[in-house]
């Protein structure tokens, strides 16, 4: 029988419910259990695909092409499993299923209501993940208790315990224990109120994860335990951590996984944390400074590039580099070029994006990197900008552009494929999810991947225009990876540059802390070399430390 863990949150958003779910998942996996995680999102959008990253952070893409909440990225990175679109359900997607059934006449004319129809559909989504080969399903409920939108979800997970049996379901509530400076104390009242709110929906938490800035001490844990009717060992403190990857170890030290296994009567040995402890040791040891400029549009909300930033960190951890990210507003790049600010960077990343704003800055940054031997990694829109730059400045294709940004360009070097023309439904035209690419033998990318057939996730509409292939191919520019039928360009690189490499895909979605994405690793290696070249004392310092 599959066991279910529900993770809810109270007091404030952004407390790290996702990280709690992900950390717990990892701990249970290390106990030899098969674990899957899902997120229930109370907003009305059918999926996060059309949400503005300014507001919502990045859209995470799964192998099967699901456009999902960024928390799925945390889940995948922590439990090291590929999830599917079924791991993310929104109010919008649940209603659209129910409404489609209503239109088909499946309800035989009965009144369709939140309870039972919406709640049943929520329960069906939860049960769908509980396949025979799954030991534990962890379900994170987005939002906080007390939100209007969350009520059907709380009702569904309350009922779920009645359906699945007491010993098969437990509830973990994540709350905030704020520090109030004038009184010099951590306060438990918000946690108490949030537990009362949860209880008013019929859910008594089995464990409480208290987020705080500093450790809260056992007196407060006892008080919270008492007032919330939870055993004191089930009150777990998670103070702010130096690195995300400390969180599972912290939760284990606090006994969260042991408490859950007891509650759910899971008979599993202690977790094998060797790999995770080694990861944390490497995080501590990663001290060689390297400065990466991220040329983005959404630089005020760092979550908009969450997977890119994590992938850079993964590569840094592996290579002993302490990655400092310089957030560069793409619209400012032309100004920065005159100030020569890009000179102090060891590497430049041009990430994905939609819409014209900042595109010229990204193109300018690509040109700067090309001419000055700065390692440059282009991701999706990044590949497109680098292709445009090379077209304009090396191949003299005047006003070369992407038809996404300038429909009347004389040289649409980036264009829609014929099959996509004329389609206007924004939900239906993207190339989404995992696609295989064939790499050119002995190219830079083939060396980095160590194989010639690779699969990466995609999320874009436009492509390298095949009409321009031969002009590009005749030069230093190499289309080093393409779709198996040879129609689509998937990777580009320059023969004469230390690292000017881009992909039409988003390799950041597959990077894991213990297995960095090959392209990021190669990029970081090149950036470290440049850092050492710019800062020869780095090498000397290393040599002295070694001796
Ligand atoms: N806007 C570009 C396209 O749709 C790039 C998309 C992206 O970077 N994810 O092709």
């Amino acid at each position: 029988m599959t066991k279910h863990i529900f993770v809810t949150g109270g007091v404030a958003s952004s407390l790290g419910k996702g990280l709690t779910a992900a950390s717990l998942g990892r701990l249970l996996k290390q106990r030899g259990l098969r674990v899957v995680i899902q997120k229930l999102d109370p907003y009305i959008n059918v999926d996060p695909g059309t949400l503005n990253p300014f507001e919502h952070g990045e859209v995470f893409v799964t192998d099967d092409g699901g456009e999902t909440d960024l928390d799925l990225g945390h889940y995948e990175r922590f439990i090291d499993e590929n999830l599917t679109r079924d791991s993310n359900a929104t109010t919008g997607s649940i209603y659209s299923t129910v409404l489609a059934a209503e239109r088909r006449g499946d309800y035989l004319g009965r009144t369709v209501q939140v309870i039972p129809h919406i709640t049943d559909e929520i329960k069906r989504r939860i049960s769908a993940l509980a396949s025979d080969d799954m030991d534990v399903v962890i379900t994170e409920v987005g939002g906080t208790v007390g939100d209007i939108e969350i009520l059907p979800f709380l009702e569904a997970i309350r009922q779920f315990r009645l359906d699945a049996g007491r010993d098969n379901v437990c509830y973990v509530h994540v709350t905030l224990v704020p520090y109030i400076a004038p009184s010099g104390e951590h306060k438990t009242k918000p946690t108490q109120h949030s537990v009362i709110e949860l209880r008013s929906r019929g859910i008594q938490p089995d464990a409480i994860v208290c987020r705080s800035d500093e450790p809260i001490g056992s007196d407060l844990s006892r008080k919270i335990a008492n007032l919330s009717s939870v055993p004191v060992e089930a009150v777990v403190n998670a103070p702010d951590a130096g690195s995300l990857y400390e969180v599972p170890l912290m939760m284990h030290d606090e006994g969260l996984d042991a408490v859950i296994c007891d509650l759910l009567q899971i008979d599993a040995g202690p977790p094998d944390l060797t790999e995770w402890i080694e990861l944390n040791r490497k995080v501590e040891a990663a001290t060689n400074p390297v400065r990466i400029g991220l040329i983005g549009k959404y630089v005020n909300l760092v979550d908009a590039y969450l997977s890119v930033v994590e992938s850079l960190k993964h590569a840094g951890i592996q290579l002993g580099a302490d990655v400092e990210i310089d957030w560069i507003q793409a619209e400012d790049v032309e100004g920065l070029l005159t100030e020569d600010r890009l000179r102090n960077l060891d590497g430049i990343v041009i990430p994905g994006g939609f819409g014209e704003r900042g595109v010229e800055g990204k193109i300018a940054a690509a040109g700067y990197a090309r001419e000055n031997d700065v390692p440059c990694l282009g991701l999706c829109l990044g590949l497109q900008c680098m292709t445009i730059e090379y077209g304009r400045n090396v191949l003299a294709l005047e006003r070369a552009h992407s038809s996404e940004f300038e429909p009347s360009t004389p040289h649409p070097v980036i264009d829609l494929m014929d099959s996509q023309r004329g389609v206007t439904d924004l939900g239906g035209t993207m190339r989404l999810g995992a696609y295989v690419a064939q790499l050119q033998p002995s190219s830079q990318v083939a060396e980095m991947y160590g194989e010639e057939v690779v699969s990466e996730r995609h999320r874009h509409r436009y492509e390298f225009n095949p009409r321009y292939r031969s002009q590009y191919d005749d030069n230093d520019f190499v289309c080093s990876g393409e779709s198996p039928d040879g129609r689509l360009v998937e990777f580009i690189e320059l023969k004469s540059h230390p690292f000017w490499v881009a992909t039409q895909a988003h390799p950041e979605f597959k990077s894991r802390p213990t297995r960095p994405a090959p392209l990021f690793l190669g990029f970081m290696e090149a950036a470290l070399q440049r850092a050492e070249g710019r800062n020869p004392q780095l090498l000397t310092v290393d040599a002295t430390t070694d001796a």
Side-chain angles (χ1 to χ4, degrees), residues 33-356:
L33 301 167
R34 292 158 305 177
V35 182
V36 67
I37 315 189
Q38 72 179 333
K39 172 108 188 252
L40 302 177
D41 272 314
Y43 49 76
I44 313 282
N45 306 62
V46 173
D47 63 39
T50 48
L51 281 173
N52 183 345
F54 271 127
E55 236 179 73
H56 197 78
E58 96 182 348
V59 175
F60 186 80
V61 180
T62 52
D63 264 347
D64 64 344
E67 297 180 276
T68 71
D69 187 84
L70 55 77
D71 270 318
L72 267 78
H74 286 313
Y75 305 162
E76 285 202 354
R77 289 187 281 272
F78 275 63
I79 63 170
D80 199 3
E81 301 281 347
N82 291 335
L83 300 174
T84 66
R85 60 170 76 242
D86 294 341
S87 274
N88 197 191
T90 66
T91 295
S93 73
I94 288 158
Y95 269 81
S96 42
T97 306
V98 171
L99 291 175
E102 190 273 334
R103 292 288 85 185
R104 277 196 310 270
D106 292 4
Y107 300 115
L108 305 173
R110 285 193 304 270
T111 314
V112 181
Q113 293 177 294
V114 173
I115 304 172
H117 300 101
I118 297 297
T119 46
D120 280 354
E121 176 58 20
I122 298 173
K123 290 196 286 181
R124 194 190 63 75
R125 302 280 181 110
I126 298 166
S127 303
L129 289 186
S131 58
D132 287 346
D133 57 0
M134 208 41 81
D135 297 314
V136 182
V137 176
I138 302 177
T139 302
E140 176 192 350
V141 182
T144 42
V145 295
D147 295 348
I148 290 176
E149 302 91 334
I150 207 177
L151 294 177
F153 292 96
L154 295 182
E155 174 58 16
I157 67 170
R158 181 193 71 77
Q159 291 178 12
F160 204 89
R161 192 179 219 173
L162 296 175
D163 301 350
R166 203 154 237 305
D167 299 333
N168 297 321
V169 173
C170 76
Y171 302 104
V172 177
H173 191 51
V174 183
T175 72
L176 176 68
V177 179
Y179 180 76
I180 306 295
S183 62
E185 281 178 321
H186 281 103
K187 293 293 189 185
T188 62
K189 201 68 90 186
T191 296
Q192 292 174 44
H193 283 292
S194 148
V195 170
I196 290 169
E197 178 78 40
L198 190 60
R199 280 209 204 113
S200 76
R201 301 293 156 204
I203 298 171
Q204 163 65 41
D206 298 295
I208 299 182
V209 174
C210 300
R211 291 279 295 108
S212 55
D213 50 357
E214 298 288 333
I216 61 172
S218 53
D219 283 359
L220 280 197
S221 297
R222 251 192 306 277
K223 189 170 167 192
I224 292 168
N226 246 330
L227 294 163
S228 317
S229 304
V230 168
V232 70
E233 54 284 1
V235 175
V236 166
N237 184 204
D240 291 347
S243 131
L244 296 184
Y245 299 114
E246 271 175 45
V247 179
L249 299 180
M250 210 147 83
M251 301 238 164
H252 175 68
D253 289 345
E254 286 278 302
L256 181 63
D257 50 320
V259 166
I260 301 283
C261 286
D262 271 359
L263 277 166
L264 295 175
Q265 302 180 358
I266 295 173
D267 188 15
D272 174 2
L273 296 175
T274 329
E275 193 187 26
W276 209 259
I277 291 170
E278 173 60 11
L279 169 69
N280 278 276
R281 193 198 58 72
K282 282 190 178 162
V283 171
E284 296 262 299
T287 49
N288 261 344
V290 63
R291 198 136 184 243
I292 305 298
L294 203 143
I295 318 282
K297 186 165 105 172
Y298 311 109
V299 291
N300 297 326
L301 179 69
V302 294
D303 272 358
Y305 299 109
L306 185 61
S307 293
V308 174
V309 172
E310 288 307 304
S311 305
L312 289 169
K313 284 193 205 152
H314 299 162
I317 293 168
Q318 181 86 1
L319 298 170
D322 181 12
V323 182
E324 186 201 328
I325 302 209
D326 193 350
W327 295 93
I328 296 176
Q329 177 57 256
E331 283 161 292
D332 293 346
V333 170
E334 296 203 299
L336 294 174
L337 282 178
T338 44
E339 289 165 31
D340 224 8
R341 167 150 164 232
L342 304 185
R343 226 164 81 104
N344 296 322
L345 299 173
D346 302 315
I348 289 178
V349 176
I350 308 182
F354 293 84
E356 194 189 352

Side-chain angles (χ1 to χ4, degrees), residues 337-384:
L337 282 178
T338 44
E339 289 165 31
D340 224 8
R341 167 150 164 232
L342 304 185
R343 226 164 81 104
N344 296 322
L345 299 173
D346 302 315
I348 289 178
V349 176
I350 308 182
F354 293 84
E356 194 189 352
R357 198 152 70 71
V359 163
E360 286 303 326
K362 292 180 176 181
I363 295 171
Y368 179 88
R370 184 177 56 74
E371 285 171 356
N372 294 281
D373 281 350
V374 183
C376 180
L377 175 62
L379 306 167
C380 205
L381 178 61
L383 174 138
Q384 302 178 352

Side-chain angles (χ1 to χ4, degrees), residues 352-354 379-381 384 404-405 459-462 506:
F354 293 84
L379 306 167
C380 205
L381 178 61
Q384 302 178 352
E404 178 180 8
F405 309 123
R459 180 172 185 254
H460 61 104
R461 292 192 180 86
Y462 292 79
H506 288 278

Side-chain angles (χ1 to χ4, degrees), residues 378-380 382-384 387 431 433-440 445 449 452 454-460 462-464 469 477-493 501-507 519:
L379 306 167
C380 205
L383 174 138
Q384 302 178 352
T387 303
R431 188 146 81 103
Y435 284 87
V436 165
Q438 178 74 48
L439 307 185
Q440 201 176 93
V445 287
Y449 277 95
E452 281 167 22
V454 300
S455 166
E456 294 288 6
R457 299 179 191 170
H458 290 246
R459 180 172 185 254
H460 61 104
Y462 292 79
E463 307 278 354
F464 187 108
R469 243 330 258 283
F477 190 101
V478 188
C479 294
S480 49
E482 50 189 28
S483 57
D485 63 5
R487 284 177 66 228
L488 307 174
V489 172
E490 295 280 22
F491 291 87
I492 60 167
E493 61 192 57
V501 178
T503 171
Q504 190 53 72
H506 288 278
L519 234 47

Side-chain angles (χ1 to χ4, degrees), residues 509-526:
F509 294 136
K510 282 178 63 179
S511 183
R512 304 276 160 86
T514 49
R515 236 170 338 102
L519 234 47
F520 281 84
L521 206 53
F523 168 68
M524 195 55 68
E525 241 165 319

